[in-house]
Amino acid sequence: MSAGIDKYEAVIGLEIHAQLLTESKLFCGDSTRFGAEPNTQVSPITLGHPGTLPKLNKKAIEYAIRMGLVCHCDIAHYNYFARKNYFYPDLPKGYQVSQHTTPICKNGYVAVQVGAVNKKISLTRIHLEEDAGKSLHDVNDDYTCLDYNRAGVPLIEIVSEPDIRSAEEAYAYVTEVRKLVRWIGICDGNMEEGSLRCDANISVRLKGEEKLGTKVEVKNLNSIRNVKKAIEVEVARLVKIVESGGTVIQETRSFDASNDTTFAIRTKEDADDYRYFPEPDLTPFHFTEEFLEGIKKQLPALPDELMNKYINEFKLPEYDARVICESKETSDYFENIIAVYLPSPLSGEGQGLPTGQAGVRYKAVANWLLGPLKSYCNENNLSFSDIRVNPANWAQLIEMIESGKVNFSAAAQKILPVLVQEENTDPLQVATRFNMLQDSNTDVINKWIEEALAKMPDKVAEYRKGKKGLIGLFVGEVKKISRGKADPKLTNELLLEKLNQL
């Protein structure tokens, strides 16, 4: 990296292509299922046979509008498609159908956080287009093989303004976009399968300058880590060229993740090279306000809205709220449990702890969800959607822990696996089966305390002389005598009371 890199700033714009989760392609009924045998999901329309005509997929339109709405975009009520006549060897028609003059969504932004800094990355547009097929160069030594299964799959292209100034900001932006498309259910976000891909337009200029430098485009970055690394590598390369008095060439490059380098593919085309004109085989389309309102009503509560609710209404720590909102799956699971555990959360009524302590109960659910349950899923390569336990059973188990009937760690180690493996099992029955129910009878616990203290009079004398750290030894002895049945919280309280009376 050039020693003079601190004099420069990077100017970065990202283009993210997201495959939409429709069952059929953008202009025909061919399946979009991933992983099928090559060229088994094609028809005369996908293959561009003479005389065939496309028909627009309404669900793809709805999904594109969903993304525009959550990105605060202006939705264009009047739209049409255009032909993009740059030659595509992996599209049988030889051209791509996209949008040019009237993208379905304009403007808008995506909010990101990098460290302690919050920033809004402005969007130029979100538009619809068909995906290309796939060229395979490692199947046959003599020929390039073409798989047209992906040809025609609906995409949205999310184009940012050149607002990004570092690889870290780019990383945060792509992470947030992936979370959003998953959250609203329009794309699975699996970059390793190619359903989310990113191109980075990168240039450098001296800090304080307004004029943009010559940009290069790094294509088809297939992981968020690669987006960050490729930008770091390319910024360093561009600075080195400028510092040495060289000329940056506008070109398209690719990133080699095996050695963290970029290499040139071709000189970059300008928009004029695409020769856009309105697609003659597709009629323009128009949205009514009623249609847009219907889509708005279907949108789920978004992460920022839920974060605000969890922090301000539920009184959760910001860390807990942020982790819960990392995925819709996690937040949905949290909401399902509290719907049972706290029937009237803001009033503090219902099951659980005493009235007025709703915030404590929310925290108890968060502790269980983000602690033992999340750890169990990670260790067993599961997601929350794989866990079929009724939320009412989790609520009952959390209530048993909070009321002192079972120990938290024992519940995590013994009861949790049984509930997951034996669906619809009552957690109280499991605790009884393993003899895990803790005794909260004051008289019984006091007898265990007296027995424990009688075993170690010398330690009791040391405690009375000021060695207060011995309280843990006494609690452990009571636990041993009771075979783990003594409520630890009550045991600690009764021990302190007993020792202070001696």
Side-chain angles (χ1 to χ4, degrees), residues 429-448:
Q429 293 178 354
V430 179
T432 304
R433 185 198 311 173
F434 288 117
N435 197 26
M436 294 172 60
L437 291 175
Q438 294 181 150
D439 202 324
S440 296
N441 185 303
T442 302
D443 293 336
V444 174
I445 293 177
N446 272 325
K447 287 181 181 179
W448 288 331

Side-chain angles (χ1 to χ4, degrees), residues 62-79:
E62 293 176 8
Y63 283 0
I65 292 173
R66 278 193 204 181
M67 191 60 183
L69 291 173
V70 301
C71 292
H72 320 280
C73 295
D74 303 320
I75 309 299
H77 285 60
Y78 179 82
N79 281 258

Side-chain angles (χ1 to χ4, degrees), residues 149-186:
N149 281 349
R150 200 173 69 183
V153 169
L155 294 176
I156 54 171
E157 182 174 349
I158 306 156
V159 183
S160 83
E161 289 287 312
D163 285 354
I164 299 168
R165 294 292 176 266
S166 68
E168 290 75 18
E169 285 185 13
Y171 185 95
Y173 172 78
V174 179
T175 300
E176 186 64 21
V177 169
R178 183 174 65 173
K179 180 167 79 171
L180 284 175
V181 297
R182 287 174 168 173
W183 196 280
I184 61 177
I186 67 169

Side-chain angles (χ1 to χ4, degrees), residues 471-488:
I471 189 69
L473 176 66
F474 302 140
V475 171
E477 187 62 26
V478 173
K479 182 178 179 181
K480 181 179 177 182
I481 293 170
S482 69
R483 296 181 180 178
K485 289 189 175 183
D487 181 333

Side-chain angles (χ1 to χ4, degrees), residues 164-333:
I164 299 168
R165 294 292 176 266
S166 68
E168 290 75 18
E169 285 185 13
Y171 185 95
Y173 172 78
V174 179
T175 300
E176 186 64 21
V177 169
R178 183 174 65 173
K179 180 167 79 171
L180 284 175
V181 297
R182 287 174 168 173
W183 196 280
I184 61 177
I186 67 169
C187 175
D188 61 26
N190 291 331
M191 298 185 79
E192 65 276 7
E193 293 180 0
S195 55
L196 193 76
R197 308 189 293 276
C198 182
D199 302 336
N201 292 291
I202 308 164
S203 64
V204 296
R205 65 186 178 190
L206 287 170
K207 290 179 179 177
E209 280 195 1
E210 293 295 324
K211 184 179 179 182
L212 295 174
T214 302
K215 70 177 180 181
V216 297
E217 182 180 30
V218 183
K219 296 281 286 184
N220 294 328
L221 300 167
N222 61 1
S223 76
I224 300 181
R225 181 263 177 197
N226 284 351
V227 171
K228 183 174 183 290
K229 192 64 185 177
I231 290 173
E232 290 173 343
V233 167
E234 192 58 22
V235 167
R237 188 186 74 87
L238 294 176
V239 168
K240 186 175 181 180
I241 292 172
V242 175
E243 279 282 279
S244 64
T247 301
V248 175
I249 299 171
Q250 181 173 320
E251 61 185 356
T252 300
R253 300 179 69 85
S254 186
F255 176 66
D256 187 341
S258 66
N259 57 18
D260 289 342
T261 60
T262 65
F263 57 92
I265 302 174
R266 60 179 181 267
T267 55
K268 175 64 179 170
E269 301 80 14
D270 290 313
D272 291 345
D273 296 323
Y274 294 134
R275 304 191 310 282
Y276 288 101
F277 66 87
E279 170 56 57
D281 291 336
L282 287 164
T283 58
F285 52 100
H286 180 265
F287 308 132
T288 63
E289 281 298 331
E290 291 77 14
F291 179 72
L292 293 178
E293 283 301 318
I295 296 174
K296 287 179 184 178
K297 289 177 182 178
Q298 294 173 7
L299 288 173
L302 296 176
D304 286 348
E305 180 184 345
L306 291 177
M307 278 274 294
N308 182 65
K309 180 174 77 169
Y310 294 161
I311 294 170
N312 296 316
E313 293 182 18
F314 292 8
K315 307 304 179 186
L316 288 180
E318 183 179 342
Y319 174 81
D320 289 17
R322 189 171 298 283
V323 175
I324 291 171
C325 292
E326 280 181 355
S327 74
K328 190 171 185 299
E329 186 182 61
T330 306
S331 72
D332 283 349
Y333 217 83

